[in-house]
Amino acid sequence: MTARANSITTVILGRTLAGLAASPGTTLAGGSIADMFDTNKRGLPMSVLTMITFMGTSFGPGLMGFVGQYCGWRWIIYIDVIVSGLLSLALIFLTQETRGSVLLSRRAKKLREEKNDPRIQCRSDAERASLLILIKISMTRPVYLLCTEAVVFFISVYISMAWGTMFLALEATSLVFENVYGFTLGQSGAVFFTMFIGGFLGFLANFYQERLYQRTVATRGPEARLYASCVGGLLFPIGLIIFAFAPGRTHWMGPVMGLFFTYFGIFCIYLASMNCTQEPFTKREAAQYAHPYFAPTDLADAYTIYASSAISGQSLMRNCVAGAFPLFTYQLYGRLAMLATVLSATPFVLLKYGPKIRAASLFSKELERMRAANPNQ
């Protein structure tokens, strides 16, 4: 639809439908990793997922700038359709179910058929709701977590601002390098490879973050995931300041270095948001560390099991802000560094007060009430 469009209305409609179709992948990927890996082993898979996210956002405009320059904008959409179609087929035929309740349901069904015993059921079968109720829960739970869970909310605000800045940079980069430095469309698109370089170095830095996490998780808890975001949160506004004031005053590598620091910081913030949104531990995992810190919190039955819902709520805010920021590029261009500096305090605040914030969680208290009523759950 978009590739054959002859009006802006058709383009907007086509892009809206494409966004609706593609949105589940953003949340399900993090939820699938939460299903497959224990909390203390989740850092590397999440960093790989984040790096691939940055690769797509970098290589897309980086390569498609030349496609648009030499082949026309419609071929950008055609290539997108071809790649997305092949990946969709790969997902359908090569991936497997990861959610525990679904796997148990399938196992129970197989045993019922083998033993011809209708009494064999798992809890998810007995408690399965109607389709309308499932749709309602899927649409409301992310918003509920976003509005009631302080950790989810504040991290979502932080990553939303960072993510919105990255999409604003898609517009600002063309303004700077084409208007100030005389770059062609393809050359200005190639600047976005800076995003991949910053993301890749952030990926390498995450190995040290993982060492810090393993060393301090017993005393810090889930907030041990935030050390890299503290550094990234400081580099993020520094990069914005360089990118805002370097154009026209320095060589074109000046604003490129500003973008590098910005994207490195965004990578650290994004990775921390993905991990902490689904982080706190199950009772089994908490027992591995034998530390009283985890006894009263035990929130992973909320975030690990419902990681996709928590990430979905975060993604809702993040993508709404990312969609709005480019509309105000000229107004926001020189002001984001101040906002980024203020929000850079977020990981430091969560490092210090995160346990108290999570202890006051309404969702956590409800889970404790449910466990008290069902001690064998």
Side-chain angles (χ1 to χ4, degrees):
M1 177 187 293
T2 305
R4 306 300 298 174
N6 293 314
S7 67
I8 187 61
T9 303
T10 308
V11 171
I12 291 174
L13 179 59
R15 298 303 293 165
T16 300
L17 294 175
L20 288 173
S23 60
T26 306
T27 57
L28 292 180
S32 296
I33 289 176
D35 290 336
M36 293 186 291
F37 296 92
D38 287 342
T39 303
N40 61 327
K41 299 178 181 178
R42 196 179 297 145
L44 179 59
M46 287 302 302
S47 65
V48 172
L49 172 62
T50 304
M51 186 182 68
I52 292 174
T53 301
F54 269 63
M55 284 179 60
T57 311
S58 170
F59 279 55
L63 297 176
M64 293 305 108
F66 290 103
V67 173
Q69 180 177 341
Y70 294 108
C71 302
W73 68 270
R74 296 183 190 274
W75 266 103
I76 297 176
I77 308 300
Y78 290 141
I79 294 174
D80 192 14
V81 170
I82 293 170
V83 174
S84 300
L86 292 175
L87 290 176
S88 297
L89 291 174
L91 287 172
I92 293 172
F93 293 106
L94 299 180
T95 58
Q96 299 178 356
E97 179 62 61
T98 61
R99 189 166 180 83
S101 60
V102 176
L103 295 174
L104 286 174
S105 178
R106 292 177 179 176
R107 186 179 301 175
K109 180 180 178 181
K110 183 178 179 180
L111 288 174
R112 283 198 302 271
E113 294 174 351
E114 291 178 353
K115 299 181 179 298
N116 195 25
D117 187 350
R119 297 174 299 175
I120 301 178
Q121 288 190 345
C122 64
R123 175 170 294 180
S124 60
D125 289 333
E127 298 176 351
R128 182 168 295 170
S130 66
L131 179 60
L132 289 177
I133 293 178
L134 290 175
I135 293 175
K136 179 182 177 181
I137 292 174
S138 297
M139 295 180 66
T140 57
R141 183 188 289 152
V143 178
Y144 177 81
L145 288 172
L146 179 63
C147 296
T148 61
E149 294 297 303
V151 172
V152 177
F153 175 78
F154 286 111
I155 288 180
S156 297
V157 171
Y158 194 23
I159 185 58
S160 295
M161 194 280 297
W163 204 249
T165 301
M166 187 167 68
F167 276 79
L168 183 145
L170 293 172
E171 181 72 19
T173 297
S174 298
L175 292 175
V176 169
F177 289 95
E178 291 180 23
N179 297 339
V180 178
Y181 294 102
F183 280 24
T184 65
L185 178 62
Q187 290 172 334
S188 65
V191 174
F192 287 100
F193 289 120
T194 309
M195 185 185 302
F196 169 70
I197 297 172
F200 182 71
L201 291 181
F203 169 76
L204 295 179
N206 185 64
F207 285 98
Y208 184 67
Q209 159 65 52
E210 279 300 297
R211 290 176 59 187
L212 289 176
Y213 171 78
Q214 298 294 342
R215 189 186 308 163
T216 61
V217 63
T219 54
R220 284 290 188 181
E223 285 73 30
R225 295 282 191 193
L226 295 174
Y227 290 112
S229 66
C230 292
V231 177
L234 295 175
L235 291 177
F236 177 41
I238 291 174
L240 288 176
I241 292 171
I242 296 173
F243 184 64
F245 292 100
R249 298 180 176 89
T250 68
H251 186 268
W252 59 264
M253 278 299 296
V256 167
M257 289 303 299
L259 288 174
F260 165 75
F261 288 123
T262 299
Y263 293 139
F264 179 87
I266 292 175
F267 181 95
C268 296
I269 297 167
Y270 181 80
L271 180 58
S273 75
M274 294 290 285
N275 274 323
C276 288
T277 303
Q278 56 182 303
E279 171 64 23
F281 298 94
T282 60
K283 291 178 180 178
R284 173 176 59 82
E285 293 168 331
Q288 294 175 355
Y289 297 98
H291 194 280
Y293 173 92
F294 299 105
T297 55
D298 189 19
L299 298 179
D301 287 313
Y303 291 165
T304 300
I305 295 175
Y306 300 123
S308 291
S309 294
I311 295 173
S312 182
Q314 175 229 98
S315 297
L316 174 65
M317 178 182 289
R318 173 164 53 88
N319 288 311
C320 286
V321 173
F325 267 32
L327 300 177
F328 308 101
T329 300
Y330 291 97
Q331 294 87 338
L332 294 174
Y333 179 69
R335 298 177 174 86
L336 282 175
M338 183 180 298
L339 179 60
T341 302
V342 173
L343 290 177
S344 66
T346 301
F348 293 96
V349 172
L350 289 177
L351 269 174
K352 184 173 180 61
Y353 298 107
K356 294 181 180 179
I357 295 173
R358 288 183 291 105
S361 164
L362 296 176
F363 204 75
S364 168
K365 292 178 180 178
E366 178 63 18
L367 282 172
E368 289 301 320
R369 186 192 65 79
M370 293 170 60
R371 292 191 189 100
N374 300 278
N376 295 324
Q377 185 173 343

